[in-house]
Every structure is written in C-alpha cells, then in structure tokens.
Amino acid sequence: MDPMEPIDQAGGAPQPLPLQLELPSEKRAPAPTEQEARRPRRRAGGGGLRWLVRIATVLAALAVLAAAAVVWLLPWYVKERCIAEAAAHGVVLEVGSVSIAANGFQLHDAVATSAALPGASAKAAEVDVVTVGLHPDVMTVRRAELTLAGPWSTMDAALSSWRASSSGGQGGGWTPRAVVLDESRLVWPAPFAENARIEASNVHFDGTWGSATAPVHAGSDNVVVGVPGGKLGPWRVDADRSAGAWRVRVALDPGVPDTSTLLVVRDAAGATTVDAEVPRSPLSRLGIPPALLGLKGNIQADLDAHYVPMGPQRAEVTAKGGVYGIEAGLPVPLDVSWALSASGAPASGLDVQKSRLGAGPLVGELTGTVKPFDDGFRVDLAWKAGPVPCTAFDKPLAEGDPFDIAYQLRQLAGAAGLVKGDVSASGRLTFDSRDLGASRVEFLPAVGCRVSLFGG
C-alpha cells in the first residue's frame, strides 16, 4: 500500500487525493494590510486622463500668451508700424497709446506734422481705424484740433505736391483708402491776407486717398473771419476738389444757405469764375457788422456780381447792387447803389467803363480798374457826382408822420426860391483781398446850402 494513499477510516478501500486547483505558476496575493485597504483605487484608463489635463494646461497657457500678445505686444506693433509708415510718407506721427478693437484699432493722443506742409499740424484725442485683411481701410478722426498757416494757394500747392510725390500721401500698405474728419476745429492765420484769420468749428472732411486726383470734400457751418477792427460771419463754407479742379461755396446767411451765396470755381486748366448773389438783406444777417464799415442805421444790402474768363487774355466783370438806409446826417437815410462793368486782360487789369454810382440824388460815373490775382483781387475805383440842388435832399412828409416845423419852413423857403446852393460829392474805394488793412473808402461831400431870406 502506498504510504501516501489515504486510508479510509472505516477500514475500507483507499480514497484518491484532493484535486489541485491552484496552478503552479500562480501565487496567491497576500491579503492587503489595513493601511493599503484605505488607499483610493485608481480607475482604469488613468494615464489618458493625465494627458488630457496636460493638453488643457498647455492650451490655457497658449491662450494666456495670446491674450498678452493682444493686450501688450499687438498694440505696440501697431503703434510702431503706424509711426514707421507715417515717416515713410513724410509725416512725423506721435501716438500716446493704441487699443485693439473688433474691426481694427484706435490711436489715442495722436499728433501729426509734416515738413511738406510747414506750419500745419493735427491733434486728435482718438483716431478710429477700420481694417480689412489686416490693412487700414477707413480712418475716422473726431474732435481734432487742426492748424494751417500761410496763404491757401501756397497750402493747396504744397498739399497737391506732397500727395503726388512718391514718398507722399499715396500708396503703402498702411495708407487708408478713405479719411474722415468730423466734429473738429480749424484755426488758419493768414489764409488769404496777412491780417485775416479763419476760425471754424464743426469741421467735416472726407476724401478718397487713392490718388492725387481723388475727390475731397471739406466744410463747416460755423466759419468766422477775423479782420482788422472786428469779425465777419459766422458763414457756412463748403469746398470740393477733384482731378485738379476745385469749388468753394460760401453761404453768407447759414440760416437760409441757398439765398445769399458766393461761389468760386477753378477748372483743371486754371480758369476761375466768381458768382455772388445776395438778395436785399440786413447786413447783420450776412455776417457783416455795419460798424465794421463805419456805417450807422438799419443797413441793408444786395449784390449780383460775376467774374467770367473769356480766354487767356480777356475777362469780364459785371456787378450791380446797393447799400440802403445809411445815416449820413441828412433829413433822410441815404441809399447807395451801383452798376459796374469792366473788361480787359487779367494780367494788366480790367478797365471799369460805363459804370455809375448813386448816393441819394447824387449820381456820377465810376472809373478805375479791377485786377485779379491767383490768390485774390484788387479794386481801385473813383467817383464824382453833382452838383444837385439842396432841395433834392429834403424829406417829403409821408402820411402819418408828425408835423415838423423845420421841414415846413424849408418847404416854404424852397417854394419861394429862398433855399440857395447845391451839393456835390466825390469818393474813392481801394480794396485788396490780400491785404485788408490797405482797404480805404472815402466819401467827400461838398455842401453849399443856405437859406436866403433877403435874396442874398
């Protein structure tokens, strides 16, 4: 009997050994200790979760870097590019700061000057730039302070030369397609005369910047012109320029802008026409203080004047109008009216011919010259009238007028032939739009009126 074979305790036959359930290569894991049992178990796939966390961390870091680039680096880059591009176009640009917007960017506290435009400068608290494809498309400047200096003809020529130059206002990846200026203020000393000064508020400007011949519009509804002794205006002024031609329209009565107007037009060939149309209106409504002209009373005026070039060697001027209600120490207010015609070569001056001026009953011939210039004009006129009887200046007594004993005595004396003498007058006018201080108006009456009670 095999000694390893178990014996049946009941004395029966030997029984087989129990079945071996555990494979030889397997080992039973020891029971975990109490400390190990308390540790949290790791879920299946824990390595993939760690990678997701790492990727999210990297993306967040990139987002922070991108935000930092937008907040700090991109504004700095835009500022430097704007300054560099302006310098390439002959403009010195100073920028306080730059902010990035959804459709472009904004320049803050910007100042621009250019050696090509001496004396000109622009200051703006805010400049909005709309971009298309990372390139500036429309630049809008609001509430800017603009300063120009010198005659408008010089400034216009300098601006045209700069825009047409290779390093001027054309081209460049950072040159905007259009420029808009709004709600701004302009100060312009000596625009057409040394002793004149333009101040304009609510200035608007818009232009296409594609070429030197692109259209440009500028305007203001509150233009005041400072002259020796006072101010003229406010007037509304609109200016347009396109393809070498320009047009300036002045509304002397902004409240009714289509009635009292001055229009100056120059074509691309350099020919200039001038048209002034003013219906009878109070001088105060036309922006002309009567005291500035040395006049008193409720002064009214009208004007219809035209300057037309008839070719390179000839031009014509026609004008008619009047000033009414002048208080000149006479029994009645004095009305002055005129009709003028002049023609000739602009280079030598236009001769005034067949022209007359009337001051009350005094009517006489006007003589002189009208001389046009590229930046203005000069008028020199002389006038002589009379003599006329003194009784021609007496005021008829209208219905409802109070009884005037002095008037009645004069009428009786006149009817009896006792009013003797006559009145004559002469005058001169000098007006130069380029030098307002040189303007002169002289009116020299010669009064020889007397009442002769005893036929003397």
Side-chain angles (χ1 to χ4, degrees):
M1 183 177 63
D2 187 346
M4 299 298 296
E5 185 177 7
I7 301 175
D8 187 4
Q9 297 295 329
Q15 299 295 322
L17 294 172
L19 181 62
Q20 183 89 19
L21 295 179
E22 192 173 359
L23 297 177
S25 61
E26 291 183 344
K27 296 183 179 179
R28 184 179 299 273
T33 63
E34 181 179 354
Q35 182 178 3
E36 291 175 341
R38 293 178 179 176
R39 292 177 182 174
R41 295 183 179 182
R42 294 180 180 176
R43 298 181 180 178
L49 180 60
R50 287 195 301 271
W51 278 108
L52 289 176
V53 172
R54 292 174 182 175
I55 292 173
T57 303
V58 171
L59 292 177
L62 292 176
V64 171
L65 291 176
V70 171
V71 174
W72 291 294
L73 297 180
L74 186 55
W76 173 85
Y77 171 76
V78 170
K79 177 180 177 179
E80 294 301 313
R81 281 298 304 272
C82 289
I83 293 174
E85 189 69 20
H89 289 81
V91 176
V92 178
L93 178 64
E94 301 176 12
V95 179
S97 62
V98 174
S99 59
I100 305 301
N103 59 346
F105 58 89
Q106 293 178 339
L107 307 180
H108 303 279
D109 299 324
V111 180
T113 58
S114 175
L117 304 172
S121 66
K123 300 179 181 179
E126 186 175 292
V127 179
D128 292 322
V129 181
V130 176
T131 59
V132 174
L134 300 181
H135 297 288
D137 184 53
V138 178
M139 182 174 71
T140 302
V141 184
R142 291 185 177 88
R143 295 175 293 280
E145 293 286 335
L146 307 176
T147 301
L148 301 177
W152 67 265
S153 55
T154 302
M155 187 64 62
D156 180 71
L159 180 61
S160 298
S161 177
W162 172 69
R163 291 191 65 190
S165 66
S166 58
S167 61
Q170 311 310 315
W174 281 58
T175 301
R177 175 186 58 83
V179 177
V180 178
L181 181 74
D182 233 342
E183 303 172 26
S184 298
R185 182 173 180 269
L186 170 67
V187 176
W188 192 347
F192 53 85
E194 285 294 331
N195 39 22
R197 175 187 175 91
I198 289 179
E199 296 183 8
S201 59
N202 197 28
V203 175
H204 175 82
F205 170 94
D206 60 78
T208 301
W209 208 248
S211 68
T213 60
V216 172
H217 170 77
S220 168
D221 58 6
N222 192 343
V223 178
V224 175
V225 181
V227 297
K231 294 183 177 181
L232 302 173
W235 297 329
R236 177 185 177 89
V237 178
D238 291 279
D240 296 274
R241 180 182 177 88
S242 179
W246 52 261
R247 174 182 183 271
V248 177
R249 184 178 184 272
V250 181
L252 301 178
D253 186 354
V256 191
D258 295 328
T259 55
S260 302
T261 60
L262 171 65
L263 179 65
V264 183
V265 179
R266 174 172 290 185
D267 62 22
T272 303
T273 60
V274 181
D275 297 282
E277 298 181 358
V278 180
R280 185 163 173 169
S281 308
L283 279 184
S284 58
R285 287 191 62 88
L286 302 177
I288 305 175
L292 187 61
L293 304 178
L295 301 177
K296 298 179 180 179
N298 183 23
I299 310 298
Q300 296 184 343
D302 62 7
L303 178 64
D304 183 11
H306 308 277
Y307 172 85
V308 181
M310 309 302 291
Q313 301 299 325
R314 184 176 176 81
E316 292 185 355
V317 170
T318 58
K320 61 180 181 179
V323 180
Y324 312 100
I326 301 173
E327 293 183 2
L330 299 173
V332 293
L334 188 66
D335 294 342
V336 177
S337 59
W338 63 84
L340 180 146
S341 176
S343 61
S348 58
L350 284 62
D351 293 326
V352 176
Q353 299 174 342
K354 299 180 181 179
S355 302
R356 300 181 70 79
L357 181 145
L362 292 167
V363 179
E365 184 179 5
L366 278 172
T367 59
T369 59
V370 177
K371 181 70 171 67
F373 300 95
D374 289 339
D375 56 352
F377 65 95
R378 179 183 174 92
V379 177
D380 291 282
L381 298 175
W383 171 72
K384 188 175 183 179
V388 298
C390 294
T391 54
F393 289 90
D394 227 336
K395 174 185 177 183
L397 195 63
E399 182 180 355
D401 282 356
F403 181 77
D404 184 347
I405 186 62
Y407 165 75
Q408 295 297 331
L409 290 174
R410 289 194 305 271
Q411 289 295 95
L412 289 173
L418 301 179
V419 177
K420 304 295 183 178
D422 52 41
V423 178
S424 61
S426 62
R428 297 191 66 88
L429 168 66
T430 299
F431 179 82
D432 193 331
S433 67
R434 304 164 304 164
D435 184 4
L436 300 179
S439 299
R440 295 288 184 273
V441 178
E442 296 179 357
F443 178 74
L444 303 174
V447 181
C449 300
R450 66 188 185 280
V451 177
S452 177
L453 297 178
F454 303 102

